[in-house]
Amino acid sequence: MSLKKIIIHPDPRLKKICKAVDEVSPALRTLASDMLETMYDAPGIGLAAPQVGVLQRVFVMDVAGKESAPDPRVLFNPRITWASQELSVYEEGCLSIPGIFEDVTRPESVRMVFTDIDGKHHEEEFEGVAATCAQHELDHLDGKLFVDYLSGIKRRMITAKMKKLKKEQAREE
Ligand code: GNR
Ligand code: NI
């Protein structure tokens, strides 16, 4: 197990469409396990492969919260098969955009098909924070960030702030 470095926006790797996974190989299982460790360490409720520089269609999440037992999830090749008409607004954050939180509107529930860590296919409905998180992660696999839903002015202000943060980080290294 090892911690991966989380890429900060803006970065070309966060804008790429990720490649479908052919087969859940041992290397991809190791990647998923490292991503879970990195997500818990951050801490965050989700993490997508491009955030650690791997342009493949896989994300991990755990929306169980502190009061419940951990519920680590790994989704390969996730696809939305249904989205509710009802929308919900959630104040989103992103480990690639640290310290920024903004309201984003998305379908309140979605059904996703995906392959699990054992290579088994599933279709599952997510609602509430799990639906928000799963959609946020799926967006990462298509090169999309939550700031892409904000106004141009807000997005540019956030991007400028992140550029400054990255410069400061580079100086510390
Ligand atoms: O840790 C995270 N919290 C979060 C809060 C609201 C909506 C989405 C998220 S996902 C985020 C981790 C992350 O950046 N995943 O890509
Ligand atoms: Ni994110």
Side-chain angles (χ1 to χ4, degrees), residues 44-48 51 90-95 132-133 136-137 140:
I45 60 171
L47 188 70
Q51 293 181 278
Y90 200 92
E91 190 178 62
E92 297 198 15
C94 182
L95 294 172
T132 293
C133 185
H136 172 117
E137 302 313 333
H140 274 298

Side-chain angles (χ1 to χ4, degrees), residues 42-103:
I45 60 171
L47 188 70
Q51 293 181 278
V52 295
V54 176
L55 301 183
Q56 305 228 50
R57 302 189 75 83
V58 52
F59 71 75
V60 299
M61 69 176 190
D62 186 339
V63 295
K66 282 199 278 283
E67 305 302 311
S68 328
D71 181 26
R73 308 292 311 267
V74 180
L75 289 81
F76 291 97
N77 298 335
R79 223 163 26 84
I80 290 180
T81 55
W82 171 83
S84 65
Q85 298 238 269
E86 299 77 51
L87 304 177
S88 81
V89 181
Y90 200 92
E91 190 178 62
E92 297 198 15
C94 182
L95 294 172
S96 295
I97 313 173
I100 306 288
F101 300 90
E102 295 286 348
D103 282 351

